[in-house]
Structure formats: structure tokens, C-alpha cells
Amino acid sequence: MVVNSGNLQVSSGKSSGALALDGVKCENGKNHKIQICDEPTKEEDSNSDVISDLTGHFGKWQLMWTFLLSLFQLPSTFHLFSFVFEGASKDFWCAAPDHLKSIPLAIWRNYTQPSGPCSIVDVNYHEISIENFTTILSDALNETLTTCKSFDYDMELIGKTVISEWQLVCNRASMVSVVEMCFLAGAAVGSVCSGWISDQFGRRTTLMSFATVQCCIGILLAFASSLPTFMVLRFISGVTSMAVLVVSFVLVVELVSGKYRTIIGILNLLPLSIAYMIIAGIAYGARDWRTIQLIGTTPCFLLLLLWFNIPESPRWLLARGRMEELKEIINRIAARNRITLPDNYEKLLISPPDVDATVSILDLFRGKFRRTTLLMTVIWFSLVLLYFGITLHMNNLGGNIYTNTIIAGAVEGIAILCSIIVVLKLGIRINLVIYMLVAGLACLMVNFVPDGNLWMIITLVMIGKCTIGATNAIIQTFTAYQYPTMLRNLGVGAGNFAAGVALIVVPYLWLMEHIQIYLPMTIMGGFGIVGAIALLLLHDRSPKTKRQQRATKSCIPEQNKKVASAFENSAYKHTES
């Protein structure tokens, strides 16, 4: 009997007892040896597993769900970058008493605040009228100064913010960094915790649970009545936002295979750049941080309607040995993609030896994964330090905050789209090495620009922005390839934890410009070089390009136990790269 279905061929006979899978011939002989031959003309074959052999690498079903899952990037990106507008700095000054409000602002500031907006000339302003204001204040310029008790803010470009509502200026200005630190600390926690949780309880349950909490916290943030309450909610928002980012990405790449895993993994981050531009539009129209929070959060409740329809990762189900649920999903995929499944295909779904084995963060530092995890931590830290460090430097160049954000989003989107073509031609790691190296050198070259040549500095910064933006789009896909199913979420989460640490460092990194103006750029450039070296030292497990596959045309004998790893259906310690 011979049954053909897409790229799956099953042959069986009483005499030979043979099973052939897409160029893989399995003989039931004494030695139980398997002869595996790669089809040099098909890039996907070497990246196949039993799931893709049954359902295909990519089809209508995968297209629909990878698109819907990519939408989960929008609310997470909103919470991650909304504080750019909600906590934006603006011009401020000591507030004038109500009866002196009609005095022109320039005159009020010049006469009452000679040492800056944090202090005011100490006189009894209730005894001063508009008519004798300049006379009395001219005689009082040598009077002592006192701390301002209330402030007014420039509302022309940016409306009401967290800073203006809770007076986070002067001696309370450091609280702005603390507020942002709350979110970033939560992001670091969520990146690791979500990985372990989803490995234990499944991608779908973890994703939708965190997404539900994320939506509720987003609404509560808009009604926060005090700064401590806002900070606590921001911490929880950081946990849930990073968890949704990590788990949705892992689920997306586990729904596809072959070269489409690289393509979809990169495209999954395209909503990031779109979200930048949407946030800028919302902030421009709303001009109030509470309204921005409400408008940006409310649409995410629509994603919760997908709870009972979102599929579980078939590869996670296979790794867990949950065959009945796996067969149900395979049947759904086959029906949507119009694939005829062979009879008794269930026999191909081999359960891993330790389906009940649990994994922990410590497993990332055992055996062959120890070197991978340590190097990936360095790579992620270097990348995020460069990515967000350059972004902050772009803002410091001046200009309109809304325009800058839209341009940054457009540049990010172009970098993501272009990176797909380059990666498919040259491979993932070599592109990451080149991008990190170019970004690092661009930052270092700022030190050699002649004084006053602002356009040269901007050009170097833009080069760094484009290359590190492309790196940011590829790194999650590259990280996912370095770990098997049972460790993939933890591996990506560990990388995001290093990213969280880098995010916390970035604001303090720019304080070093008081020591030497280009010292922050020099440090970022150095980490760019370090990240490129770490990539070269990494034992790459990502798939090969067509050019690399053509170099390996010979058949490779393998032990029978490695067939299970080719199907990617075993626990982490039974999976070979």
C-alpha cells in the first residue's frame, strides 16, 4: 500500500516491513539502522519533523493563526513604549498665584525665578498686585530663594503627563526613573517566569491568562489615584507585557517549520514598528496620559475573544505526549490546508521517553546548553543596550517627539522587511554578526567625527539604528532555533531577562555623558563588538540556507534514536540538534 499526502509518503508491505518518509527510508532489520538522505533541491526537508510531514510547513491554517497571534504584539508594545508620552519631560516653572496669572510668562519667570524653575524669590506674593509687580520684584532680586510648592507646565506640545500630575520635577525628578524601573523590573521577571509556566502548562493557556491580566491592569492604570498605586500597576504590566511577547512568539514559531519559521518569526515583530506609529497618533490626538492609556488598552479585549479558538502548539503537545489533543489539531490543520492524511498516521506520533519530565531554569545551564545560554545572554544584553541606547540618543538630537517616533517606526519596519531577504540568502548567524559589528563600529566612529559636524553624527547614528533594528527583528527567531521544544520558551525567556537588565542600565548609561560626551556611545560600540564575538563563538543550530545545503549531499547514517530528534518529539535531554 502506498499513500501520498503532500510531502509525506508511507509505504508498507508484509515482506519488506519498510516505512519511507520523504526521502527517509527505515528498514526493520537486525541493526535497526536508519539511512537519512537530504534532498538537496528542497530546503525545507532538512528542517522537517513529523508534524510538518503530516501538515506541511506552511498553509492557510498557519497563515491565519500566525497573523492573529502577531496582533498580540500590539498591546504589549503599547505598554512598553506608552511611557515615552505618558512620562515625557516638558518645560515647567513655579506657578503664579491666581491674581497674578495674567502677567506674561516670560516676565514672571525672569523676575521670580532667577536661579531656575525649582526655586522662587521669597516674598509675600499676596501683597503684590499686577501694577507693582515689577517694582517690588526688582528690589527683591537679592532676597533669599525658597523652594517652589506648585508648578505650571507647558501643555502646547505634550498634554497632561504623569510628571505634571504628580509633580515629578526638581527634587522629585529621580522618581521618573524609578517609575520606569518598575515596569522594566516586571518585564525582566515576566520574561523568565512566563517561559517556565508555558513549558509546564502550555502556550495557549499561559498566553491568554497573561493577556487577560494585561488588559485589566491597563484599564486600572488609567484610573490610578496615587503614584505608589501607579508604580505597582506598572510592575504588573511589565510582567504581563513581556510574558505575552515571549509566549506569543514561541507559539508562532512552533506552528510553522522549514524556512517559514525564519520568515514568520521575523514578521511576527513587524507589529512592533506599526505600534510605534499608532502610539504617536494616539498621543498626538489625546494629549492626556489617562486617555492615552484607555485608548491604547481597550482594543486588546478583542484579542480575548480568541481564547477558545487559539490552538495549542502541536509540537508542545507532541513533546508532552498528549496525543489525543495533537491528533485533533492535526486533523484541523489538514482540513483547512486540504491535505489528505494517511491511514493510521497516529503511529508516526512517537511519544518521548520522559513525557512527564519537568524542566527548570537550571536546565539551561546543563550539558551542551550551558555554553549556548551564557553566550546568548551576552548577545541579548549587548543588543538591547545598543538598540534602546541609540533610540534614546535619537530623541536627544531634538525635533518633534511625534515625528521622531513615526520615523523610528518606519525605519524599524523597513529594517524588519529587508532582514528577511538577507537572512534567506546568507543565513541567520552571519547576518547577526555583520549587523552587530556595523552597529558597534558606527557608535565607536562618533568619537572621530570633527567637532560641529552634526550631520555626520546623525548619519552614523542612523546606520546604527537600521542595523541594530534588523538584529532586534532576527534575534528571537535565532534564539528559538538554539533550543529544543521543551527548553525553547525558557531559552527565549532567559534572553529577554538579559534584555530587561540592559533596559534598566540604559537610562543610567546616558548619565556618563557628563564625564565625556561620547562615553555612552563608546560603551555601546564596545558591547556591539562583544556581541558579534559572542555570536561567532556560538555553536549555531539554526537551519542552513540552500547554498549551505548543497554543500552536503551525501547520506548520513544515524542511530535509530536520532529519528525521534529529527521529529522533535522528545524532551530536552533526548533532543539532538
Side-chain angles (χ1 to χ4, degrees), residues 407-466:
I407 293 176
V411 170
E412 188 93 358
I414 294 172
I416 290 173
L417 294 174
C418 292
S419 64
I420 296 175
I421 301 174
V422 181
V423 163
L424 292 178
K425 291 293 183 180
L426 301 179
I428 298 180
R429 184 170 71 161
I430 185 62
N431 279 277
L432 286 173
V433 172
I434 294 174
Y435 291 152
M436 289 286 285
L437 197 59
V438 171
L441 290 175
C443 291
L444 291 174
M445 288 177 64
V446 170
N447 289 278
F448 303 99
V449 175
D451 292 339
N453 196 334
L454 181 60
W455 287 109
M456 179 63 72
I457 294 176
I458 293 176
T459 300
L460 291 173
V461 172
M462 286 301 298
I463 292 173
K465 173 67 176 176
C466 291

Side-chain angles (χ1 to χ4, degrees), residues 208-228:
M208 298 310 296
S209 298
F210 276 112
T212 302
V213 178
Q214 180 189 53
C215 293
C216 296
I217 293 298
I219 296 297
L220 291 176
L221 274 168
F223 296 97
S225 58
S226 65
L227 184 60

Side-chain angles (χ1 to χ4, degrees), residues 226-538:
S226 65
L227 184 60
T229 301
F230 183 81
M231 293 168 65
V232 172
L233 292 175
R234 283 285 292 176
F235 175 82
I236 301 175
S237 177
V239 174
T240 56
S241 296
M242 188 57 71
V244 170
L245 283 172
V246 172
V247 179
S248 63
F249 170 79
V250 172
L251 179 54
V252 161
V253 298
E254 289 184 352
L255 293 181
V256 297
S257 57
K259 68 179 181 181
Y260 296 101
R261 180 168 288 178
T262 300
I263 296 173
I264 295 300
I266 297 174
L267 282 177
N268 185 62
L269 293 181
L270 187 59
L272 238 71
S273 59
I274 298 174
Y276 294 159
M277 294 181 277
I278 293 176
I279 293 170
I282 294 173
Y284 182 80
R287 303 295 178 103
D288 182 277
W289 76 270
R290 294 184 186 273
T291 307
I292 294 172
Q293 188 68 38
L294 280 174
I295 296 176
T297 302
T298 303
C300 81
F301 283 96
L302 296 175
L303 295 175
L304 301 183
L305 299 177
L306 300 173
W307 187 305
F308 298 104
N309 295 313
I310 284 183
E312 182 55 88
S313 165
R315 289 166 175 84
W316 181 84
L317 291 173
L318 184 61
R320 282 294 180 181
R322 296 164 63 166
M323 297 305 170
E324 292 302 319
E325 297 174 65
L326 176 60
K327 287 188 290 184
E328 181 182 349
I329 290 181
I330 289 177
N331 291 333
R332 286 163 53 188
I333 299 174
R336 180 68 176 174
N337 292 348
R338 296 182 180 180
I339 295 175
T340 303
L341 294 171
D343 297 332
N344 300 321
Y345 73 87
E346 297 89 347
K347 295 180 180 179
L348 299 176
L349 306 177
I350 305 171
S351 300
D354 296 329
V355 295
D356 295 326
T358 59
V359 294
S360 69
I361 190 68
L362 296 178
D363 293 315
L364 293 175
F365 299 93
R366 291 175 180 150
K368 61 184 179 182
F369 295 112
R370 181 188 301 111
R371 177 189 178 94
T372 298
T373 302
L374 293 175
L375 289 174
M376 289 305 303
T377 300
V378 174
I379 294 166
W380 273 82
F381 182 89
S382 303
L383 182 149
V384 172
L385 194 73
L386 267 165
Y387 181 74
F388 286 96
I390 291 178
T391 301
L392 289 177
H393 182 70
M394 290 288 292
N395 292 335
N396 291 340
L397 292 178
N400 186 286
I401 187 172
Y402 305 106
T403 304
N404 289 345
T405 304
I406 291 175
I407 293 176
V411 170
E412 188 93 358
I414 294 172
I416 290 173
L417 294 174
C418 292
S419 64
I420 296 175
I421 301 174
V422 181
V423 163
L424 292 178
K425 291 293 183 180
L426 301 179
I428 298 180
R429 184 170 71 161
I430 185 62
N431 279 277
L432 286 173
V433 172
I434 294 174
Y435 291 152
M436 289 286 285
L437 197 59
V438 171
L441 290 175
C443 291
L444 291 174
M445 288 177 64
V446 170
N447 289 278
F448 303 99
V449 175
D451 292 339
N453 196 334
L454 181 60
W455 287 109
M456 179 63 72
I457 294 176
I458 293 176
T459 300
L460 291 173
V461 172
M462 286 301 298
I463 292 173
K465 173 67 176 176
C466 291
T467 53
I468 205 63
T471 309
N472 184 58
I474 302 171
I475 190 63
Q476 293 207 56
T477 302
F478 180 75
T479 305
Y481 277 126
Q482 308 309 311
Y483 297 95
T485 299
M486 294 300 293
L487 276 180
R488 183 170 296 134
N489 231 352
L490 279 175
V492 175
N496 278 280
F497 179 81
V501 175
L503 281 171
I504 295 173
V505 171
V506 166
Y508 299 98
L509 174 66
W510 281 101
L511 296 178
M512 295 184 180
E513 66 181 345
H514 298 295
I515 301 174
Q516 203 274 334
I517 188 170
Y518 295 133
L519 183 57
M521 297 294 290
T522 304
I523 294 174
M524 290 189 294
F527 272 100
I529 305 298
V530 170
I533 295 174
L535 282 163
L536 291 173
L537 295 175
L538 190 68

Side-chain angles (χ1 to χ4, degrees), residues 84-248:
V84 171
F85 298 97
E86 294 178 0
S89 59
K90 57 173 65 178
D91 192 18
F92 66 95
W93 53 88
C94 293
D98 292 338
H99 67 287
L100 298 179
K101 290 288 187 182
S102 60
I103 297 176
L105 178 60
I107 295 176
W108 166 257
R109 295 184 67 175
N110 288 336
Y111 278 91
T112 63
Q113 301 156 54
S115 299
C118 294
S119 59
I120 189 171
V121 175
D122 189 10
V123 297
N124 189 353
Y125 289 94
H126 295 289
E127 297 178 354
I128 300 176
S129 64
I130 296 177
E131 291 75 14
N132 61 7
F133 173 79
T134 55
T135 303
I136 294 177
L137 266 297
S138 298
D139 297 333
L141 287 179
N142 295 326
E143 295 288 337
T144 58
L145 301 177
T146 186
T147 303
C148 288
K149 297 296 189 286
S150 62
F151 300 89
D152 283 335
Y153 298 85
D154 182 7
M155 298 291 184
E156 183 178 354
L157 181 62
I158 300 174
K160 190 176 182 180
T161 65
V162 172
I163 294 177
S164 61
E165 178 157 340
W166 287 307
Q167 307 288 333
L168 303 183
V169 293
C170 297
N171 60 344
R172 287 170 55 85
S174 59
M175 290 300 297
V176 177
S177 298
V178 176
V179 171
E180 187 60 16
M181 284 270 290
C182 291
F183 182 92
L184 299 176
V189 173
S191 62
V192 175
C193 291
S194 62
W196 181 86
I197 294 172
S198 67
D199 284 337
Q200 302 305 311
F201 302 103
R203 315 315 195 201
R204 180 182 64 181
T205 301
T206 305
L207 172 62
M208 298 310 296
S209 298
F210 276 112
T212 302
V213 178
Q214 180 189 53
C215 293
C216 296
I217 293 298
I219 296 297
L220 291 176
L221 274 168
F223 296 97
S225 58
S226 65
L227 184 60
T229 301
F230 183 81
M231 293 168 65
V232 172
L233 292 175
R234 283 285 292 176
F235 175 82
I236 301 175
S237 177
V239 174
T240 56
S241 296
M242 188 57 71
V244 170
L245 283 172
V246 172
V247 179
S248 63

